[in-house]
Amino acid sequence: MPQFKNWLYLTQHGMFCRICRQHKPPIKKGPLKRAFIEVGILVFRKDYIERHISSEPHQYSVKHQVSLASGYSVMQAFEPTVIMEHEAVIGGFKCLYWLVKNEMAHHTNYPKLLSLAQLLGCDFFEKLKVDQRNNYQSHRIVDEMLEILAEIVESPILEEIRSSQAISLEVDETTDVSVNRQLDLHVRHLDKEGYVFNHFLDLVTLEDGKADSVVAAIKSVLQKKDLPVDRLYGLGTDGAAVMTGRLNGVAKQLTDSFPKLVSVACAAHRLALACKDASNAVRYMANFRNHLQELHLFFRNSANRSATLSAAATTLGLNDLKVKEVKDTRWLSQHLAVQNLQRNLPAVLAALAEEASTRKCPVAKGLYTFCATYRFVAALYLQADVLPHVAMLSKVFQRVDVNFLHIKEQVPVTLVTLRRILEAGETPLPGTFLARLHQDLDNPGGLGAFSIAGEEERIRRGHGILERPREDMWARFVRDVNTSLLTFTFQYLFSLN
């Protein structure tokens, strides 16, 4: 058989394949025991030779022989495939990192992003598809890739924190979409040049909101991250009772464990709570806050109402802005809501009037009855005068590179400003919104087009509008609302000083 003489040779025991004897391919066990020996393949007939040529062991040996003949090793022969798979895995990590960095849903968008990359010509992503079931796109694989990315990003940050001269913690409780309690931890540290850096540390699930559980979670994170507790000097909280309790609060327990620790309540959060408490101390202002939120919900929950508001704003030549939401957890939300409503109050009243008259909406009628009153407009203008100064102080507290000298100056300035508004009494300060309240009420192109009543309670009881002199309504507002609100606000802010 001349065509097989390069690799087939004859011995007294039969014919053998020289290539297979040289490379020793992995031979699977089978029924033809006489056809196989330890180091080669024994061939008896021509049909055996043809069968041997097409067998996997022979093909395996031929590939190795070709690679050796061309001067490449086995690893070099597979190198292009290995490089392509490596590039595909790196590309997958880059796509996942981009999704996480842009705060997108990674589980649902990761396969779509890989498909888009393939559509744009990134063919090496095909190497990720091992078969129909294994394609490196499952939720489990994505979670493992996220853990790897987290370790790579976290490792140098933790090294910087461990080498810092001083560190502090910021902790706060929160809930996820499943209403499970979680503890959010951030760490602040100084670098070698004295600059302050703030980093996210961990998000821990809590069994309950008790102080013992919070303290145990904090100590567990400190131990897991191997942070230097001997250089832990600060603890920032929201000032809640579970955090700052005198006998068994989180700060008290951590101070017992780490004597150098100094606990500080968040100044911006305390300021927001002080403004809320000041409003709640005045009965009408508490009702005022509730109606601000009801206005937001009234327009947000209906596209038709939002369209009506937009049309009214366009007709009156006002800013086309939505009614903002008021939330205690958002420190500047009431300031933004008041600022927006004060600019667009005629449009809001026009939209409410149209909803009440055209669509016979009882909610719109109730909101219009409350908002189209002298006291509501005056309270809105009062808040528009006071809240910008409080918001400016809150922004100072929220700065990353906060300067304590700036705080020391800004708090007294805010108190002096509020004291001036309070002492002005029935004679508003020039340049304030209250100073042009009556002018706006008489403007036929603005609030003058609406029937601004004096007492909404009489209207709701069916007694009609009781005509009172504007001076009497102003004096009553200053006595019942203006003075009380400013007094409580001043007192609460003074306690922060």
Side-chain angles (χ1 to χ4, degrees):
M1 300 179 185
Q3 66 271 30
F4 306 125
K5 65 180 181 179
N6 292 333
W7 54 270
L8 188 64
Y9 66 96
L10 180 65
T11 67
Q12 61 180 353
H13 301 290
M15 290 186 294
F16 290 85
C17 175
R18 182 179 288 107
I19 299 177
C20 291
R21 287 179 67 93
Q22 178 180 354
H23 296 287
K24 301 180 181 180
I27 301 175
K28 299 180 180 180
K29 295 182 179 180
L32 301 177
K33 296 181 180 179
R34 295 188 60 194
F36 304 103
I37 61 175
E38 292 183 359
V39 294
I41 296 181
L42 180 64
V43 183
F44 292 99
R45 300 196 306 266
K46 183 178 179 180
D47 57 336
Y48 271 39
I49 296 176
E50 295 175 352
R51 187 173 179 179
H52 173 72
I53 293 174
S54 59
S55 65
E56 291 184 6
H58 184 75
Q59 296 294 329
Y60 175 88
S61 301
V62 170
K63 288 181 180 180
H64 282 63
Q65 182 67 20
V66 171
S67 65
L68 290 176
S70 60
Y72 291 98
S73 65
V74 176
M75 291 301 298
Q76 289 174 327
F78 283 99
E79 186 174 359
T81 303
V82 173
I83 292 177
M84 290 296 291
E85 291 181 352
H86 183 68
E87 291 295 328
V89 172
I90 292 178
F93 272 100
K94 289 181 178 179
C95 290
L96 181 61
Y97 179 79
W98 183 85
L99 289 174
V100 176
K101 195 69 175 178
N102 290 276
E103 299 181 357
M104 297 183 181
H106 47 276
H107 281 153
T108 54
N109 291 322
Y110 177 69
K112 299 177 183 178
L113 186 58
L114 293 186
S115 300
L116 175 62
Q118 289 181 259
L119 185 64
L120 295 176
C122 298
D123 297 334
F124 56 77
F125 281 126
E126 288 289 340
K127 296 295 181 180
L128 294 177
K129 297 181 180 180
V130 180
D131 51 43
Q132 292 183 351
R133 299 187 60 182
N134 301 315
N135 53 13
Y136 288 93
Q137 296 181 10
S138 67
H139 288 188
R140 182 179 61 82
I141 292 296
V142 171
D143 290 339
E144 292 180 0
M145 293 171 67
L146 275 179
E147 292 179 1
I148 295 173
L149 287 175
E151 291 179 2
I152 294 175
V153 173
E154 187 183 43
S155 295
I157 296 176
L158 290 179
E159 289 299 326
E160 293 180 5
I161 297 174
R162 294 181 186 119
S163 62
S164 176
Q165 299 178 358
I167 63 174
S168 63
L169 295 178
E170 297 174 348
V171 298
D172 191 16
E173 287 187 67
T174 183
T175 55
D176 60 7
V177 293
S178 302
V179 201
N180 294 323
R181 288 183 178 272
Q182 292 179 325
L183 186 67
D184 184 17
L185 291 97
H186 285 70
V187 60
R188 306 192 77 184
H189 68 95
L190 292 170
D191 66 357
K192 296 180 180 179
E193 298 180 358
Y195 291 101
V196 179
F197 291 90
N198 194 349
H199 295 288
F200 170 77
L201 187 60
D202 207 342
L203 189 66
V204 185
T205 301
L206 296 176
E207 295 181 359
D208 52 59
K210 297 180 180 179
D212 295 339
S213 301
V214 176
V215 171
I218 293 175
K219 290 183 177 180
S220 175
V221 171
L222 291 175
Q223 183 179 3
K224 182 177 68 173
K225 305 292 184 180
D226 192 23
L227 298 185
V229 294
D230 58 320
R231 282 169 274 164
L232 180 61
Y233 295 109
L235 174 67
T237 66
D238 59 357
V242 68
M243 294 291 181
T244 58
R246 183 172 55 90
L247 297 178
N248 196 39
V250 173
K252 177 64 169 59
Q253 295 189 39
L254 290 179
T255 304
D256 293 340
S257 301
F258 313 117
K260 300 178 182 179
L261 190 69
V262 177
S263 175
V264 178
C266 175
H269 192 71
R270 290 178 62 193
L271 179 61
L273 293 178
C275 295
K276 176 188 174 183
D277 293 341
S279 296
N280 291 336
V282 181
R283 182 177 179 182
Y284 179 79
M285 294 309 300
N287 201 14
F288 177 88
R289 283 173 54 89
N290 295 335
H291 277 78
L292 283 183
Q293 181 65 11
E294 290 179 11
L295 275 174
H296 164 75
L297 296 176
F298 178 78
F299 288 105
R300 188 197 68 176
N301 295 335
S302 173
N304 292 332
R305 296 168 185 169
S306 299
T308 303
L309 176 61
S310 177
T314 304
T315 302
L316 295 173
L318 301 173
N319 296 327
D320 182 14
L321 297 175
K322 295 182 179 179
V323 179
K324 301 292 185 179
E325 184 177 11
V326 179
K327 271 196 171 182
D328 296 332
T329 54
R330 297 178 182 175
W331 296 328
L332 302 177
S333 62
Q334 184 167 346
H335 163 58
L336 297 176
V338 168
Q339 184 183 50
N340 176 64
L341 183 59
Q342 190 275 329
R343 289 199 305 260
N344 298 275
L345 183 57
V348 173
L349 292 178
L352 291 175
E354 182 176 349
E355 289 289 328
S357 60
T358 304
R359 297 186 174 89
K360 307 299 181 182
C361 178
V363 178
K365 183 178 179 181
L367 288 174
Y368 181 85
T369 302
F370 182 85
C371 296
T373 58
Y374 181 90
R375 185 159 51 169
F376 178 84
V377 179
L380 181 65
Y381 277 46
L382 172 62
Q383 292 276 60
D385 284 333
V386 173
L387 290 180
H389 303 287
V390 179
M392 185 181 301
L393 180 61
S394 179
K395 290 179 180 179
V396 172
F397 289 149
Q398 296 177 48
R399 289 181 61 90
V400 176
D401 53 344
V402 59
N403 189 325
F404 289 99
L405 293 178
H406 191 190
I407 293 178
K408 187 177 180 180
E409 294 177 357
Q410 190 64 37
V411 173
V413 168
T414 304
L415 292 175
V416 170
T417 303
L418 294 181
R419 184 188 292 274
R420 289 182 59 203
I421 299 176
L422 173 62
E423 294 177 349
E426 298 185 13
T427 306
L429 296 175
T432 61
F433 288 102
L434 285 177
R436 58 185 180 89
L437 170 64
H438 294 165
Q439 180 182 350
D440 289 349
L441 290 175
D442 294 332
N443 181 13
L447 295 176
F450 305 93
S451 300
I452 303 298
E455 297 183 15
E456 70 278 3
E457 292 86 356
R458 293 183 59 85
I459 303 174
R460 290 180 176 177
R461 294 169 186 167
H463 296 306
I465 300 176
L466 178 62
E467 293 294 339
R468 287 178 178 271
R470 184 170 289 177
E471 293 76 12
D472 292 348
M473 292 189 293
W474 169 247
R476 182 183 178 185
F477 171 78
V478 172
R479 182 183 68 251
D480 297 343
V481 179
N482 191 332
T483 303
S484 300
L485 177 64
L486 290 175
T487 301
F488 283 114
T489 304
F490 184 85
Q491 292 176 352
Y492 281 112
L493 289 182
F494 187 79
S495 65
L496 299 176
N497 191 8

